[in-house]
Amino acid sequence: MLDDFLVRAALAGLGVMIAAAPLGCFVVWRRMAYFGDAVSHAAILGVALSFGFQISIFAGVLVMAVGMALLLNLLSSRGHSYDAALGVLAHSALAAGLVAVSLLGTVRIDLMAFLFGDILAVDRGELGVIWAGGAVVLGLILSRWNALLTATLNPDLAHASGINPKRADLVITLALAITIAVALKVVGALLISALLIIPAATARVAARTPEAMAIIAAALGAVSVLGGLWVSFQLDTPTGPTIVCVAAGLFALGNIAQAVRGAAR
Amino acid sequence: MSLITAKGTGIRLGGRTILSNVDFSIAPGEIVTIVGPNGSGKSTLLRALLGAVAPSSGTVVRKPGLRIGYVPQKLHIDPSLPMTVQRFLNLPDRVSKKQVRAALEQAGVPEIADRQMTNLSGGQFQRVLLARALLCNPDILVLDEATQGLDQRGSAAFYQQIAEVRGAIGCAVLMVSHELHVVMAASDRVVCINGHICCEGTPEVVATAPEYRALFGTGTQGALALYRHDHNHSHDHGHHHDHHHEAAE
């Protein structure tokens, strides 16, 4: 069954979504959308690093994503506005990554695959890494769910309940870095944060509790992956961007449905 | 014995002396209000009594096993986070539905467990925070400027609720506020601080003390008299509202 590239692609997409859906909810709740974008742009630099030092792409991207997140926290704590720090780092990381890749010279890298993903070319080994990474992220988040939620709700409230909100920040950042490292193959550096944010933002329309929002986001993510694969197969369009388009279509539908329901009331 | 005792407590933060030589204690069931102008160190004193700030001189002793119910200032919840009142009261630790219902009833908002937190009015929101503090069955309720953002009527009604809760479960209440006349009327004892304790005693004693008048002027005393009058009667809820309306005018 795993011999079929479409089956592997579907499993890869679903593996990423398992992790991205609940994490994406936290990204939305904590207003970290642009943070996710900046960190994922660093992934290209991670790819260059992997080729330069002959380490696995997963490891290179993971290191760069974590480094980027730490650098962001450092810059914003040194008096730069968070917004400006993000703006500087997001674009510099992408530019530096593209320059570094071209400097590698002897190695031929399919840049498009890393920018926009190449889900149809996922092999068995990569599938294993994606599911292992997704499981780690899901485990990290679920095992600390209440603490993360309390810290997200309000840092003072967390303090009063004996929860360290700084640790929650760290868990979210680490989960984000792992997700980016495993999702690179599926949708590419430029579209990873779309997978995090769009299903979660769509789920907000229907959810009444945080748990419901995470579950609905996961379901919407799965529909986007499978629907995007099918549409891209039918229309012969690039798969990663098609998955994101389907997710965006669901977002539009959700909001229109809400508006219609609101008007009817 | 008293629930929290501070002896000769001084606090320095960042090289600046915020408080010096404060003697303070609160007994079981007592309602104590800390008043003081901005920057007088009243919130710092509260945090030191809670144990969030270590005193740089003197001591702060809390009764062993003391259960503190803390009601924060207005809490912001991001509208992107769906959260029912029921779920909010279950964070971070799960409690039974029965406990949630009992706490909401005590806080005066029995019917709102299924509402979204972001759709509550300011007064309802603060009562949910009060309910959350009541869940631990506290020996003492601590309120830090808990009525910021409420209008005068809302504040008065909220403090009336606090007094009712105290009557029902017998906990002590320690509050910090700048809304002097509203808060003081419901207090057994008022402590007026400005870097140190200026004066303390019953609301009447403090309101007429020269140190208090030097800090706040004489204008608040008239309003105090009105609220004091309100406090001495036991009104049903509807009448109570009308009364405060008059007082606010």
Side-chain angles (χ1 to χ4, degrees):
Chain A
M1 183 181 86
L2 288 177
D3 292 336
D4 188 335
F5 73 97
L6 266 182
V7 172
R8 287 199 303 271
L11 288 177
L14 294 177
V16 167
M17 275 326 302
I18 288 182
L23 179 61
C25 290
F26 279 104
V27 170
V28 168
W29 297 332
R30 299 166 77 97
R31 305 193 166 214
M32 292 169 72
Y34 201 28
F35 178 88
D37 221 29
V39 175
S40 61
H41 284 180
I44 295 296
L45 205 51
V47 170
L49 187 80
S50 322
F51 280 101
F53 291 93
Q54 310 259 306
I55 54 175
S56 85
I57 290 181
F58 177 80
V61 171
L62 190 62
V63 168
M64 278 313 300
V66 171
M68 183 73 169
L70 296 179
L71 191 61
L72 264 170
N73 287 334
L74 183 74
L75 268 186
S76 60
S77 68
R78 289 179 68 92
H80 292 278
S81 84
Y82 201 61
D83 195 49
L86 279 172
V88 169
L89 286 182
H91 302 114
S92 333
L94 183 59
L98 295 174
V99 169
V101 166
S102 78
L103 283 177
L104 287 171
T106 53
V107 197
R108 279 184 52 88
I109 296 177
D110 180 6
L111 201 52
M112 287 299 278
F114 291 111
L115 286 175
F116 298 107
D118 195 6
I119 191 174
L120 298 181
V122 169
D123 63 30
R124 283 162 180 261
E126 286 164 332
L127 197 55
V129 170
I130 287 171
W131 275 85
V136 168
V137 168
L138 197 64
L140 262 180
I141 291 178
L142 290 189
S143 65
R144 291 174 171 75
W145 182 265
N146 270 339
L148 291 177
L149 202 53
T150 308
T152 299
L153 196 66
N154 188 278
D156 290 336
L157 207 65
H159 262 305
S161 316
I163 294 163
N164 183 352
K166 288 261 182 267
R167 182 171 299 169
D169 292 349
L170 193 69
V171 169
I172 299 281
T173 304
L174 195 63
L176 196 61
I178 298 173
T179 305
I180 285 164
V182 299
L184 185 67
K185 185 79 182 182
V186 175
V187 283
L190 294 185
L191 293 175
I192 289 170
S193 47
L195 278 198
L196 288 168
I197 291 154
I198 299 177
T202 312
R204 174 64 185 100
V205 173
R208 288 181 46 79
T209 61
E211 290 75 18
M213 181 158 153
I215 292 168
I216 296 171
L220 288 168
V223 170
S224 306
V225 165
L226 299 177
L229 269 174
W230 183 78
V231 170
S232 89
F233 195 70
Q234 297 296 319
L235 303 180
D236 194 22
T237 49
T239 312
T242 309
I243 290 173
V244 174
C245 284
V246 171
L250 291 174
F251 176 82
L253 279 180
N255 278 277
I256 291 168
Q258 190 194 32
V260 168
R261 214 175 39 193
R265 202 172 281 156
Chain B
M1 74 178 269
S2 63
L3 301 175
I4 308 178
T5 309
K7 273 216 175 75
T9 303
I11 294 169
R12 293 176 63 82
L13 289 174
R16 228 161 51 86
T17 301
I18 310 284
L19 287 172
S20 53
N21 201 26
V22 172
D23 289 328
F24 176 89
S25 76
I26 180 166
E30 200 181 12
I31 300 188
V32 177
T33 301
I34 303 172
V35 299
N38 283 338
S40 60
K42 55 188 191 295
S43 286
T44 307
L45 175 59
L46 194 71
R47 299 187 68 207
L49 294 173
L50 286 171
V53 181
S56 27
S57 59
T59 55
V60 174
V61 179
R62 282 173 296 282
K63 193 180 132 194
L66 184 69
R67 287 189 304 273
I68 300 176
Y70 178 66
V71 182
Q73 293 187 8
K74 172 123 183 85
L75 190 80
H76 173 76
I77 294 187
D78 197 280
S80 70
L81 178 55
M83 183 67 74
T84 57
V85 170
Q86 167 81 27
R87 183 70 187 95
F88 176 74
L89 294 176
N90 275 283
L91 277 175
D93 299 312
R94 298 241 165 224
V95 292
S96 72
K97 274 205 154 157
K98 215 171 131 190
Q99 281 173 288
V100 166
R101 210 179 314 128
L104 286 173
E105 209 155 295
Q106 249 167 7
V109 279
E111 302 294 334
I112 63 169
D114 292 328
R115 296 267 300 275
Q116 287 285 311
M117 290 295 289
T118 44
N119 291 344
L120 300 180
S121 73
Q124 288 171 328
F125 198 105
Q126 287 311 110
R127 281 174 171 74
V128 171
L129 291 180
L130 172 62
R132 192 173 188 279
L134 291 173
L135 280 174
C136 74
N137 193 18
D139 303 310
I140 178 169
L141 269 180
V142 177
L143 297 94
D144 183 7
E145 303 264 12
T147 57
Q148 273 194 352
L150 297 189
D151 61 19
Q152 201 174 40
R153 263 169 83 186
S155 301
F158 184 75
Y159 286 117
Q160 183 66 33
Q161 189 77 47
I162 299 286
E164 278 170 30
V165 166
R166 196 273 299 251
I169 67 172
C171 61
V173 179
L174 174 61
M175 10 188 206
V176 157
S177 185
H178 63 281
E179 290 166 304
L180 310 167
H181 42 281
V182 182
V183 180
M184 282 169 66
S187 306
D188 297 326
R189 187 153 58 90
V190 176
V191 178
C192 174
I193 70 166
N194 190 21
H196 59 280
I197 292 183
C198 297
C199 53
E200 64 180 308
T202 62
E204 288 88 353
V205 167
V206 170
T208 52
E211 295 91 341
Y212 176 82
R213 291 196 173 189
L215 280 176
F216 295 106
T218 52
T220 52
Q221 209 204 341
L224 175 68
L226 273 176
Y227 279 97
R228 193 67 198 169
H229 163 73
D230 173 36
H231 180 63
N232 287 338
H233 291 66
S234 69
H235 297 286
D236 62 87
H237 206 67
H239 182 188
H240 177 73
H241 264 293
D242 291 338
H243 201 80
H244 277 296
H245 194 59
E246 286 162 23
E249 285 164 3

